[in-house]
Structures are given as structure tokens and as C-alpha cells.
Amino acid sequence: MAERMLKFVETSQAMPAKRAPAERRHDFGEIYAEYAQEKAAEQSSRCSQCGVPFCQVHCPLHNNIPDWLKLTAEGRLDEAYELSSATNNFPEICGRICPQDRLCEGNCVIEFSGHGAVTIGSVEKFITDTAWEEGWVEPLVPGAARGQSVGVIGAGPAGLSAAEYCRAFGYDVHVYDRYDRAGGLLTYGIPGFKLEKPVVARRVDRLKAGGIVFQRIAQLQTGRFPRAFCRRSRSSSRIS
């Protein structure tokens, strides 16, 4: 580990390069370009591999951040993705929009020592974008059929996560939302220069391919289903 990690003293923090303004003014694409694999490995190697990883402690999902940083530094990206996705349904989305400066990166030990935090969010985004490109993202496989239906109301991130877990447990899942596209605030509330919509759409397509049914409906009688996960938000359906 010592050969590949703990390089925060000799290696400075470096975010991915921004796309040139002349290029960005012609589209609504994301501001930052992708890391090159070598740069992602370099930035991951800055991790100090703390005995008590405060980045993981302050992550709401308690992602295994030090472990997948180490795997990235070693070039084992398929394993890094497998570990990252074990605790997070949408790691590439969290890598783009999660407030890392207040959570994992804001509590990085080397940030406190004045060396600049490990660029955790950018590495997380790189890992999963690479997984999509390389075909490592596996289809959603339903569990043994239970013969029961679950209605998930609201197709925002919470609703999508609930739907995925329920489908994996063998339930027939129907997701209801008032809008014509799933994603909630991911689709309608966050601008494309922060989160491009195809990133959300490919996750939704994966859920559809796994047998989850999405329906647009403005008002719903919840008594139709014996179990209903209701996520009330600005973008969710009205429930009566």
C-alpha cells in the first residue's frame, strides 16, 4: 500500500479540467471533462488510508471510500466499481451532484492538514462512467417472484432506489409520477451543466429493462396496492 497510497505530500490536489468556454457556450453539457485514468489513479493515491475514515463516517450512505480509492490507484477499476455500487444505487450521479465539500471531502483528514482533500466525487464519477463504457454495469435481475405488487409514488431518486430494491426482492413494481420522465429533481431540477440528462436516463432504462413499470398519472388512489412507498416531494404525484 505504501508504494501506491499516501502520496498527498508529493502530489497536489487536481480537479478534472474544465471544458473551454468557447466549447461550452455551444451546448448545455457538463462543465468538467472526464479524468484520464492515469490522473484518476494519481489523485486516488493521495488518500491517507486513515484508520478511522472520516470521509466514510460523514457519507450518508457510508460508502467504502478508502477501499475503492485504493483499488482505483492500483488500476483495478472493475473491482472499484463493484465496491462503489455495493452501497450506492447511483454512484455516478452522487459523484456529480453530492455536496462533497460538506460531507466526505469536507471531512478528509488531509484537508485538515492543509494538503487539499482527495477529489472523491470526481473519482467516483470516473469509476462508474468507466463501468458503463466497459459494460460492467449489470442488468437488474429480479428476485424469485412473490406474486405481490408494490406501488412506488414519485420517480425521484428515493423512489427509484426503493423500486430497484423491491424488484430485486421479487416484487412486481409500478412507479407513478406526474411527469413524463422519471428522475424527479435529477431530471427537472438540476441543470445539464451539473448533471446531463442521459446520465439519469440510462439508469431509468436499466430499471425498465429489469421489469419495473413507469406510469404517468396526476392523481392516484393509493388503496389500489397493499403496499405503497410514498415519497412526497415537490416533483412527486399528488396523493389522495
Side-chain angles (χ1 to χ4, degrees), residues 75-86:
R76 298 157 63 185
L77 293 180
D78 53 339
E79 296 174 68
Y81 166 71
E82 184 177 355
L83 192 59
S84 173
S85 61

Side-chain angles (χ1 to χ4, degrees), residues 50-171:
C50 305
V52 179
F54 289 106
C55 57
Q56 183 172 351
V57 170
H58 288 86
C59 172
L61 297 176
H62 300 295
N63 291 329
N64 300 311
I65 296 169
D67 292 338
W68 52 252
L69 286 174
K70 182 175 182 292
L71 291 169
T72 303
E74 295 173 350
R76 298 157 63 185
L77 293 180
D78 53 339
E79 296 174 68
Y81 166 71
E82 184 177 355
L83 192 59
S84 173
S85 61
T87 53
N88 191 346
N89 297 78
F90 315 116
E92 74 276 26
I93 295 175
C94 289
R96 286 168 163 87
I97 65 172
C98 193
Q100 290 98 0
D101 60 321
R102 301 200 306 270
L103 298 172
C104 55
E105 294 181 16
N107 290 277
C108 178
V109 169
I110 65 174
E111 171 73 10
F112 297 145
S113 67
H115 292 89
V118 178
T119 54
I120 296 169
S122 297
V123 174
E124 182 178 37
K125 170 179 175 288
F126 167 78
I127 291 170
T128 314
D129 284 350
T130 302
W132 280 104
E133 293 169 4
E134 297 294 332
W136 300 336
V137 179
E138 297 181 356
L140 172 58
V141 179
R146 293 173 175 264
Q148 296 176 308
S149 295
V150 172
V152 178
I153 303 170
L160 296 178
S161 296
E164 180 171 349
Y165 282 118
C166 288
R167 188 64 179 140
F169 282 123
Y171 293 100

